[in-house]
Amino acid sequence: MKKKIIFFFFFAISTFTFSQNFDFEGQYKYARSLASKNPDSSEIILNSIIDSAQKKKQPNYLAKAYYLKSFNSYLKSDAKATLDFAEKALKISSENNYGPGKALAYRMQGTQYAKLGLLKEASQSLNKGLDEIKNNDSDEGHELKGMIYNSFLILFNENEYQKKESYSKNAVREFQKIKNIPRRNELLVSAYTNLGYNLSEVKKFNEAQSYFVKALAFVGHDNHYLRANILHDIGFSFSQQNKPDSAVSYYQKALKIASQYGFSEKKIEITKNLETAYKQIGDLPNAQKYKLENLELKDNVSYSQKMAVDKTFSQKEENFNKQLSESYTTSKGLITACIILLLILGIIIFYIIHLRKKYKNTVTEIYEKGITPASYEADPQESAEDQTGISVPADIKISPEVEGSILLGLQVFEESFDFNNKNISRYNLSNTLNVNTKYLSAVIKKHKKFNFNQYINHLRINYIVDKLKNEPQYRKYKINHLAEITGYSSHSAFSLEFKKITGLHPSAFIKTLDEIA
């Protein structure tokens, strides 16, 4: 019993001593260095910092730890987690009036908003971040200002080179003011890389190369994220110089690092550029490979991005309602506006409920009974084509042997899913079946009850509906990908035909299908 008491006492003393001596600054710097090397390892240290900071009431380090978790989530393309952790960092920093923490949180908010296409919100967040540390002349202040200037670059398109150059040089100037040489050099890597990339966009390749050389000289061998960035941007520079072979070489090196350490955001950019580079070379199989990989990566992050955007607008709506509530007592006009708004909202909700019920009934019927075939419609294009085709008697008498041969050919055509070929036409199908177009149209009309275009569209839409019903992963694909699968030339052409045949837009059909299946 005495041994147990002594052991418990020793354990309590050890735990207390450990908590007293926890090196927050050292552990934070270690976690920060790991973020660019291996985000998963960084998370372990950050969880330890958060636990100790909560126990020891260290709000500044708690905020900074959540900022780093936000940054790690950004590297993995988890938009929702990025914004969630940034919001936590911002809340803690605001409650404790910690300016650098607010600047860090605003920086991550702005960067993620820009990636989601919310450019107005991104600009507002980044400017708020600058306001928090504009008068801070410490190493930390210069570091944060430089990082925020770098983040501003995402807001500009390739035609806004002067703005990009200005913000890039501002970042370099801020980083050069940092007295801590190792940290200064580490931060200058990203600034030099950005300058190299921007100069490559405007064909100033010699200047760009000088900045890439500087970046490579400063980057640590184990700083995997920055090294992947540099290799990618050098590849981009070669691509701009019409040297696709060299571009591919550097892109592949960057992709290897990004894949190994889970930098999903960077992988999306690299695979897109690899597709372009392989097209320049004329290597279409590899171009298609990386196109599909890029689509898959985008599909994997699209749900997270949707949740993040929904949350962003939800928060904006909540803030608006809060402001409306605060001004309620001083403005009767706003009360009237709210009542009208609620009435409109009620009408909209009623309409949405009615529409969803209608959608549900339609999708349920399709799910249970399949697509109801449309009635035959005369196709003026078929008549126009027939005028230049082989002459056939008006009543189109087809021998049983020929008719059977055409039907057998159509069966093979349907079973091999050749109707999803982009280049399919009545002319080339008749050539494949070795019959004239008029015979083909007559057999399709008699046995399928469609004109040729109706027949192809019905097969395609029926095919994709079957995939959506039986293979749930198809519901995660974007509409333009579904259009490509089924051989349509555009997103709009596919959507138009899908709605014409099923009665619903593809996105409404998929959403409703998820509810009933």
Side-chain angles (χ1 to χ4, degrees), residues 165-230:
E165 183 181 28
S166 174
Y167 277 92
S168 293
K169 290 183 176 179
N170 282 341
V172 169
R173 278 193 288 269
E174 291 297 334
F175 292 150
Q176 286 175 336
K177 294 176 184 177
I178 296 172
K179 297 175 183 178
N180 184 318
I181 295 175
R183 182 58 177 162
R184 179 178 67 201
N185 291 344
E186 180 183 352
L187 290 164
L188 280 170
V189 172
S190 59
Y192 287 148
T193 305
N194 288 334
L195 270 171
Y197 186 95
N198 296 339
L199 288 163
S200 296
E201 284 185 311
V202 292
K203 315 299 183 184
K204 296 181 179 179
F205 301 117
N206 290 333
E207 291 180 58
Q209 184 182 6
S210 68
Y211 282 109
F212 289 137
V213 169
K214 289 180 181 180
L216 286 171
F218 284 152
V219 70
H221 182 71
D222 57 354
N223 196 325
H224 306 301
Y225 182 70
L226 289 181
R227 185 167 289 276
N229 273 346
I230 298 169

Side-chain angles (χ1 to χ4, degrees), residues 232-458:
H232 167 268
D233 290 355
I234 293 174
F236 172 80
S237 184
F238 277 120
S239 179
Q240 293 293 96
Q241 297 174 61
N242 292 319
K243 297 178 180 178
D245 288 316
S246 298
V248 165
S249 175
Y250 280 93
Y251 285 150
Q252 288 289 5
K253 291 176 184 177
L255 182 61
K256 183 178 179 181
I257 296 172
S259 299
Q260 184 175 353
Y261 296 98
F263 301 138
S264 301
E265 189 68 35
K266 182 53 63 177
K267 284 176 68 178
I268 292 173
E269 186 177 4
I270 296 169
T271 51
K272 180 62 179 175
N273 286 333
L274 269 170
E275 177 195 352
T276 303
Y278 275 118
K279 280 182 180 177
Q280 287 178 301
I281 294 172
D283 186 344
L284 297 183
N286 269 319
Q288 182 67 12
K289 171 188 173 183
Y290 287 104
K291 179 181 181 180
L292 293 174
E293 186 172 339
N294 181 261
L295 285 171
E296 184 178 352
L297 285 166
K298 286 181 178 178
D299 284 341
N300 288 339
V301 303
S302 61
Y303 178 76
S304 173
Q305 289 179 336
K306 180 180 182 301
M307 294 291 288
V309 171
D310 288 345
K311 181 176 180 180
T312 299
F313 283 111
S314 176
Q315 286 178 335
K316 291 184 73 174
E317 186 178 356
E318 288 174 8
N319 291 335
F320 172 77
N321 289 336
K322 183 179 179 181
Q323 292 172 1
L324 194 64
S325 177
E326 290 173 353
S327 62
Y328 176 78
T329 55
T330 58
S331 178
K332 291 182 180 180
L334 283 177
I335 296 174
T336 304
C338 285
I339 293 172
I340 295 172
L341 186 62
L342 287 171
L343 286 172
I344 294 172
L345 187 62
I347 293 169
I348 293 171
I349 291 171
F350 176 81
Y351 175 74
I352 290 172
I353 291 171
H354 172 74
L355 203 59
R356 288 185 67 183
K357 186 177 179 180
K358 179 183 175 182
Y359 284 175
K360 194 170 183 179
N361 290 339
T362 302
V363 175
T364 300
E365 185 175 351
I366 291 173
Y367 189 84
E368 293 174 354
K369 300 178 182 179
I371 296 172
T372 303
S375 57
Y376 174 85
E377 294 175 4
D379 188 348
Q381 187 178 358
E382 288 188 4
S383 299
E385 288 177 3
D386 287 337
Q387 290 174 9
T388 60
I390 298 170
S391 177
V392 181
D395 55 358
I396 313 180
K397 295 178 181 178
I398 305 173
S399 68
E401 292 80 11
V402 173
E403 186 172 357
S405 175
I406 293 173
L407 285 171
L408 183 60
L410 289 176
Q411 182 181 348
V412 173
F413 171 73
E414 292 175 12
E415 291 175 353
S416 61
F417 307 121
D418 285 344
F419 48 81
N420 287 327
N421 189 323
K422 269 189 178 181
N423 299 318
I424 193 67
S425 70
R426 191 163 66 107
Y427 178 75
N428 58 34
L429 180 56
S430 65
N431 278 349
T432 301
L433 301 182
N434 198 26
V435 296
N436 67 62
T437 55
K438 208 163 191 178
Y439 281 359
L440 178 63
S441 295
V443 172
I444 290 174
K445 178 181 178 181
K446 178 180 177 181
H447 293 276
K448 307 296 181 179
K449 311 302 181 186
F450 294 131
N451 66 43
F452 181 78
N453 285 334
Q454 283 181 302
Y455 172 59
I456 296 299
N457 286 323
H458 185 80

Side-chain angles (χ1 to χ4, degrees), residues 3 5 166:
K3 287 183 179 180
I5 293 172
S166 174

Side-chain angles (χ1 to χ4, degrees), residues 59-61 63-64 92-94 96-103 132 140:
N60 292 3
Y61 284 104
K64 288 165 76 171
I92 294 165
S93 300
S94 298
N96 294 277
N97 197 27
Y98 179 46
K102 287 194 277 185
E132 289 296 333
E140 185 178 41

